[in-house]
Amino acid sequence: MWQSNDDRIMDIFDKAKSKNTECFPIICPVCGKQGGHLYLHRYQPEDDRGGMWTWCSVCCNSMHTSAKIPKWWQNLKTIDFDQLAALPDYLENNKADIDEWVNKLLFLDDSNKQR
Ligand SMILES: [Zn+2]
């Protein structure tokens, strides 16, 4: 079901890293539909290394790599690390919670903390 042969799906992470993005789910850079998602998982608290997943619910392109995790990221407590795999089936099943969490980290924290 999932395909991982189109690097453009990584643009989702590149945009989110710099917080230069619209709300999730975002427009997929591959198919142009509003199905783009992102999840990051920091391996240890305060560690800048972790796992990165981007995927699209519409065209089913996905990518998983290890990555440098941006400072603003916090793991979502309801995501079970043991269920994370290279393919985003588990993440797809939890995408509503994940999108809400990513949007909160991207857009709400700024007004409280960084002034
Ligand atoms: Zn797509």
Side-chain angles (χ1 to χ4, degrees), residues 39-92:
Y39 187 71
L40 305 174
H41 195 93
R42 200 185 291 283
Y43 295 141
Q44 302 289 337
E46 311 300 321
D47 193 347
D48 68 356
R49 292 174 318 115
M52 186 285 312
W53 289 259
T54 56
W55 74 102
C56 172
S57 305
V58 180
C59 65
C60 295
N61 271 283
S62 73
M63 198 70 74
H64 167 52
T65 66
S66 58
K68 186 169 186 286
I69 304 298
K71 280 195 172 61
W72 54 263
W73 179 261
Q74 299 168 46
N75 293 345
L76 175 54
K77 289 192 173 58
T78 54
I79 294 296
D80 178 2
F81 180 69
D82 291 335
Q83 300 217 43
L84 291 172
L87 295 176
D89 294 295
Y90 171 66
L91 295 168
E92 172 72 10

Side-chain angles (χ1 to χ4, degrees), residues 6-25:
D6 196 323
D7 288 349
R8 287 176 297 168
I9 199 77
M10 291 283 288
D11 293 352
I12 296 172
F13 180 48
D14 290 337
K15 289 175 77 178
K17 252 190 309 200
S18 55
K19 294 195 169 186
N20 179 25
T21 179
E22 66 269 28
C23 279
F24 279 82

